[in-house]
Every structure is written in structure tokens, then in C-alpha cells.
Amino acid sequence: MKMLTMIIADDEPFIRRSLIQVFKWPEEFGIEIIGEASDGQEAYELCMELKPDILFTDIMMPFLNGLQVAEKLKAADCPTKIIVISGAQDFAYVQNAMKVNAEGYILKPVKLDEVRELFTKVTARIHHERDNRLNLEHLKKQLQDHMPLMREKFLQNLIAGLYRNEQEIWDKIRYFALPFRQGDPLMAGVLELDDYQGAVAKFSEEYKQLLYFSIGNIIDECLEAHPCAVSFVASENMFIMLFCLPEGPAAASLTSLCGQIISGIREYLRLDASIGLGRVCSLVGQIEDSYKEALSALAYKFYTGHASVLYINDIQPETKTLQSTFFYTFHARMMNELKAGQTDNVLELLDTLFARLSEPRLQIGYVQSICAEMIFTSARTLYEIDEDIEAVLKDRMTIMDTLYAQRNLTQLKAYMLELFRNLSTYVAGKNTSKNSRSINRIKTIIQEGYARELSITKIAEEVYLTPNYISLLFKKETGETITDYITCIRMDKAKELLLATDLKVMEISERVGYENPHYFSTVFKKTTGVHPLKFRTGRDTPS
């Protein structure tokens, strides 16, 4: 423990000598006496120069008395703790001593037991404050080290709509030093690689991570031309850009900037990417809507082809259209219910959609295009899980001819309900036996491969299904997520190894698939309620 330092101040040399010699200060209290002062002014100057932990001072001294020294040190933000010696006749001074944050006082004649007791308390308090200060500094350093991750998490939460209070959001924006100014409009953009699965399928995981890092660098370099913009990663194939537009919505300049980003990715990485841009919003709390609009705009690259910049205002003009946030949510739910073969839910969702499409300001061509997109997106989604789905759907030309032959909303709705009823019923029939086999296969892969790196993507590759689909299927059939099941298997095996072997926690961690022993211990404690070593010793102890 680091030695504390102290200055003794008294105008009588004999008393100073006595105070210095009365205790073995280093041995008994861990205090080193680094100076003496014969008057208040000298005591003040020594404290300002040497910054001792403690000033042990008489109240009555020349030039400045002890309380005046304490007041001046307090005004100068000197952290030195003050302990005063006072005669009984100066008790009024003692009361004032408390007002200047003196740590304690000792009445003359001095009693050694009282001095010992007071210094024991004061030194303990100083060490406690020092430990707290060191802990706070350590926490601040950790906070600074994790600032980039915290900033990215905040931005992810922002576009997810987790914050509703506008002032709270701006407080966070200022804390993370984001280049936005309150009052300026904002816009979100989303970049995705075109044909993502085909583009990265041949790459190792290390190369994929390098690829994502490179894409982020290209985006950041291009955004330097727009100083009021930030970028971050939302997922493996979703790079988000938030633009602040202090001079208004310069859509043309943003489109040009996005084109540069796309060209850079094509030039350096030989890959195509497209960018969707949402509408301008006046409040930062509305950036979620702009983000979802950008996602909706990206869906239209099906029509425009690869390497496109898609601005939502160009796709959905200000004439009456479906709210993009509604369609985005509806589309995601429809695909999930369809893949699960939930026919009643599919038909109920279609009823909801057509209730929106029945608004008189919507033109029939727009309504028909919405229906066409739903059909072909569903076909692509279902083809990923069952190549025989084409047996239920007619060829594209026939579907388009039939769809556009429906000249009113009632006929169009009836056609869509019949088509999606057939699709969902077919998937439900297939799912009954297929789901059971898929679930058992997934469980077997996990039970046999828990000791190696095991991701949902890798499991999906082994069962020839998409990650999203097996996640949905596993949760629906078992009531738990694949990640939770992997953790459960690993924790069960860890318990066996803890009880049946003398392996170290680090070795057990590696054997059950965790490279980081600390993370393994954290997961184990969260799952079982106790640390691995406590689990081992606790089970060995008779109850």
C-alpha cells in the first residue's frame, strides 16, 4: 500500500518535535512526514507545493491561523485532509473547523489514544477514497476503450427505434461526439451487397470479415466528402449511413456520393452493391422511418438491377402510397408465416393488406405491382426451402397475365387469397414430416459438434436451408432458439467434465467450444447461477 504523506504545523518547535516523535508514523499509520511549518503562511505554501495527504496543524499560529490555512487550501482545490489541534478555550474555532471540511480535531492537552484513534480513521478514509478514485479512473479508461462499440450500439438502437425522447437522443449524440446539429434534417441510407450469398459463399470466415472491414473503410473514405455523416454496420450485409443535411435535402449530391461508394466497392473488391435512401426527417427520433424506407427502396433493385442507388421518393412518389414502415413490417411477417405454413395467419395478413390497398387514392397499377412483388418474393423465399414449390406456382408470365386481368380490387383480392392459400397449404403439408427431420438433424449436428466453432450459418449449410429459416423453424418446433440449445448442450457437457475430471476451467472451456475462458465462466454462471469452480466444489461438499 502506498505510503501517505503529512506536514506538521505548529509555531512552537518543541511541540512540533513532540508530535513528530510521539509515534512511529510509518510503521503504525503508514505515514511519512515530509515537512514542518512554523506558521500558517508556511504551512499553506508547503501544502500547495508538496500536496501532502494530511496537514496536522495547530489552530493558533502567526500570519494565518489553522482555519485560515484550511479555507485557503479549500479555495485552491487542494485535496489535503486537515486535522487541527485546539485548546479547550478555542472550542468555537473547532465548530468552524467542521465548516472547512477538517477531518477532525484534537483538544489540548493531547491524549495519545485519541490521536491514534483519529489517525486510524482518517488514514482508512484516505485509502478508501484513493481506491475509489483508482477504480473510477479504471472504469473511465474501460469506458473510453469501449467507446467505438458503445457508439455503434447506440446507432443500432437509434435506427431500431428504441429511443422516443428527442432530448435524450441528442444528449447521447453529443456524448458520442456525432457530427449532427440539432435542428438540421437527417436522412438514412442502407448499403447491401447484391447477390450476397453468391458473392461470399466461396470465402472463408476470415476473408468475409476482411471484406466487411474493407467495405466499411471504402464507405468512410467516401463520406469524408460529406462531413456531417456517419456509417456503421447493422449486420453482415447491412451497412447503415446517416446523413445530416444542414443546407436542405440535396438528393442529387447524395446520389452522386452513393454512386462513388458503389464504384469504389466495384473497383477495389470486384463486387456489386446497391444503396437505398429514405426520406428526410426533421426529428432525429424519426430516423427509424427513414431507415426502413431505405430498406424498402432497396427491395426495388429487383427491377433496377445491380449497383443501383434507389431513393424512396423516386420509387414511391408523393401521390398516395402505402406507408413504407407498414409494408416493411407486413412483408417480413408474411414471409415468416408463409414459411411456417400458417395458412390462417397468411390469409389474415392478406386481409389486412387489402384493407390498406382499398383506399381510393391508390391507383390500380400501384396495387397490382404490390401484389406482383408479394408473389415473386414469396416464390423466391419458398424456393430456398423447397425446390418443388414451382409445382404449385405457374410460370411467371401466366401469373402476371392472370394478375393484371383482375380489373377491380374484389377480384384481385380473391385471386391473391386463393394463390396464397394454396402456397401455405402446400408448405404446411411439407413441413409436417420435413420439420421433424430437420430439427433432429440440427440437434445431432449440435450434439456432435458443440466442441468446435458452431454458428447458425454453418448449421444451415449442413442442412441445406437458410439461417433465418432454421432459426424460425427450430424456435417454432422446440420453443427455444438454436443459440440457447447450443449453450444448453455445452453447459451440460461442462458440468459433466467439472464433476468427473480434474481438468482446469480453461481446458473445459476449450473442450465445450469456448475460446475465451472468462466468457465461458460468465455464460456458465448465468446458466447455473454459480461459477464453474464453485459448481465443482459445491457438488463435492456433503449437504
Side-chain angles (χ1 to χ4, degrees):
M1 187 177 292
K2 185 180 178 182
M3 189 79 70
L4 301 180
T5 58
M6 181 169 71
I7 289 173
I8 292 180
D10 197 292
D11 57 337
E12 296 185 28
F14 172 75
I15 294 179
R16 290 203 307 274
R17 286 289 98 199
S18 299
L19 292 176
I20 291 171
Q21 296 171 2
V22 71
F23 296 115
K24 293 182 179 179
W25 292 97
E27 291 83 354
E28 188 164 354
F29 301 106
I31 294 175
E32 177 187 0
I33 298 173
I34 59 172
E36 303 176 40
S38 59
D39 60 61
Q41 183 63 34
E42 185 181 9
Y44 170 73
E45 291 172 356
L46 275 176
C47 286
M48 292 303 294
E49 177 187 352
L50 302 178
K51 296 291 191 296
D53 295 297
I54 301 170
L55 170 63
F56 191 15
T57 180
D58 190 14
I59 280 189
M60 304 305 294
M61 288 191 300
F63 303 116
L64 295 173
N65 64 41
L67 295 187
Q68 290 172 325
V69 173
E71 289 171 350
K72 290 193 69 175
L73 290 176
K74 180 181 178 182
D77 288 328
C78 180
T80 299
K81 306 292 185 185
I82 313 294
I83 297 176
V84 296
I85 303 173
S86 170
Q89 69 275 14
D90 301 319
F91 190 73
Y93 281 102
V94 173
Q95 293 175 313
N96 288 332
M98 300 303 101
K99 297 178 183 178
V100 292
N101 294 334
E103 291 296 307
Y105 65 90
I106 296 170
L107 288 176
K108 297 178 181 177
V110 173
K111 297 178 182 178
L112 296 185
D113 287 343
E114 292 180 1
V115 175
R116 181 177 284 108
E117 181 182 359
L118 178 58
F119 269 88
T120 299
K121 291 180 180 178
V122 171
T123 55
R125 188 154 53 239
I126 292 173
H127 285 303
H128 179 69
E129 290 176 0
R130 180 178 288 175
D131 289 342
N132 285 344
R133 191 161 55 250
L134 289 174
N135 288 336
L136 182 60
E137 290 171 358
H138 179 66
L139 288 173
K140 286 182 177 179
K141 184 180 184 306
Q142 283 189 319
L143 184 67
Q144 198 61 38
D145 291 343
H146 288 83
M147 190 62 70
L149 289 175
M150 293 169 57
R151 171 184 176 274
E152 188 152 305
K153 187 62 179 177
F154 161 67
L155 291 169
Q156 290 170 352
N157 290 341
L158 178 62
I159 63 166
L162 297 188
Y163 308 109
R164 294 301 176 192
N165 184 287
E166 191 79 3
Q167 189 55 51
E168 176 193 1
I169 299 174
W170 280 107
D171 289 343
K172 293 180 184 295
I173 287 173
R174 283 186 282 271
Y175 175 75
F176 289 111
L178 296 172
F180 300 150
R181 190 174 64 187
Q182 197 162 359
D184 288 342
L186 297 158
M187 177 192 290
V190 179
L191 180 144
E192 289 182 350
L193 290 178
D194 298 321
D195 188 23
Y196 172 68
Q197 292 299 333
V200 303
K202 60 182 179 294
F203 297 146
S204 67
E205 186 59 35
E206 180 181 14
Y207 192 92
K208 289 178 187 177
Q209 296 303 324
L210 288 172
L211 176 66
Y212 306 143
F213 183 76
S214 300
I215 293 172
N217 276 346
I218 292 171
I219 293 173
D220 288 340
E221 287 177 9
C222 292
L223 289 185
E224 289 178 0
H226 192 292
C228 295
V230 296
S231 71
F232 60 99
V233 180
S235 64
E236 286 188 349
N237 190 33
M238 189 178 293
F239 301 83
I240 313 298
M241 295 165 285
L242 301 183
F243 303 97
C244 183
L245 308 169
E247 297 177 358
S253 62
L254 281 187
T255 302
S256 174
L257 176 61
C258 291
Q260 293 173 22
I261 294 172
I262 291 171
S263 296
I265 292 173
R266 173 177 282 176
E267 178 181 356
Y268 293 108
L269 303 177
R270 300 292 187 267
L271 293 171
D272 283 338
S274 293
I275 296 175
L277 295 171
R279 290 189 179 87
V280 173
C281 53
S282 56
L283 298 175
V284 69
Q286 298 169 341
I287 199 67
E288 176 196 8
D289 292 336
S290 185
Y291 157 69
K292 289 180 177 178
E293 289 166 350
L295 282 177
S296 297
L298 269 179
Y300 283 82
K301 69 181 178 182
F302 173 73
Y303 303 104
T304 59
H306 288 185
S308 298
V309 179
L310 301 130
Y311 185 31
I312 195 68
N313 278 355
D314 296 335
I315 295 167
Q316 297 180 359
E318 288 301 329
T319 53
K320 186 69 174 179
T321 60
L322 286 183
Q323 187 181 357
S324 61
T325 51
F326 162 79
F327 188 73
Y328 176 81
T329 304
F330 168 85
H331 186 273
R333 286 188 60 196
M334 172 63 86
M335 293 306 104
N336 286 339
E337 299 293 353
L338 193 56
K339 286 189 291 186
Q342 299 291 326
T343 304
D344 289 341
N345 292 347
V346 168
L347 298 181
E348 183 179 340
L349 281 169
L350 280 174
D351 275 329
T352 302
L353 174 65
F354 273 90
R356 290 292 193 101
L357 293 176
S358 63
E359 295 183 28
R361 287 180 60 191
L362 293 173
Q363 298 183 6
I364 186 63
Y366 173 75
V367 174
Q368 289 170 330
S369 69
I370 290 291
C371 293
E373 182 180 355
M374 289 298 302
I375 293 171
F376 294 130
T377 303
S378 300
R380 291 195 302 274
T381 301
L382 295 179
Y383 185 80
E384 294 176 359
I385 61 174
D386 186 357
E387 294 180 358
D388 295 331
I389 195 68
E390 291 183 345
V392 185
L393 288 167
K394 299 176 182 178
D395 66 89
R396 178 174 299 188
M397 190 58 66
T398 302
I399 289 174
M400 293 298 290
D401 288 345
T402 306
L403 188 149
Y404 282 101
Q406 314 304 315
R407 300 313 302 169
N408 60 60
L409 201 63
T410 302
Q411 292 175 353
L412 183 57
K413 179 179 178 181
Y415 171 70
M416 292 289 287
L417 288 172
E418 180 184 4
L419 178 63
F420 277 85
R421 182 185 290 109
N422 292 340
L423 279 175
S424 183
T425 302
Y426 174 83
V427 172
K430 284 280 188 177
N431 282 350
T432 302
S433 58
K434 183 179 176 182
N435 287 357
S436 178
R437 293 195 302 272
S438 298
I439 294 298
N440 289 336
R441 176 61 181 146
I442 291 168
K443 287 183 175 181
T444 299
I445 291 170
I446 294 170
Q447 290 163 3
E448 293 176 352
Y450 66 88
R452 57 184 170 88
E453 182 185 351
L454 204 57
S455 67
I456 294 175
T457 300
K458 287 186 176 181
I459 295 172
E461 290 173 355
E462 292 194 40
V463 296
Y464 304 105
L465 296 171
T466 66
N468 286 342
Y469 179 68
I470 66 167
S471 297
L472 177 73
L473 178 63
F474 196 92
K475 176 71 173 178
K476 177 177 176 289
E477 296 295 327
T478 67
E480 64 181 331
T481 66
I482 292 177
T483 301
D484 287 343
Y485 185 77
I486 294 173
T487 302
C488 180
I489 293 297
R490 285 173 167 169
M491 292 302 104
D492 286 345
K493 187 60 180 177
K495 291 176 187 176
E496 292 177 16
L497 293 172
L498 283 166
L499 297 178
T501 73
D502 293 324
L503 292 172
K504 296 179 180 178
V505 171
M506 180 183 299
E507 295 171 316
I508 293 175
S509 171
E510 292 176 353
R511 290 197 180 192
V512 298
Y514 292 93
E515 293 181 0
N516 187 326
H518 178 70
Y519 179 65
F520 161 73
S521 297
T522 301
V523 175
F524 188 96
K525 185 174 182 181
K526 183 178 180 181
T527 305
T528 65
V530 295
H531 188 274
L533 290 179
K534 192 166 183 180
F535 177 85
R536 171 180 277 165
T537 57
R539 293 293 294 268
D540 290 339
T541 303
S543 58

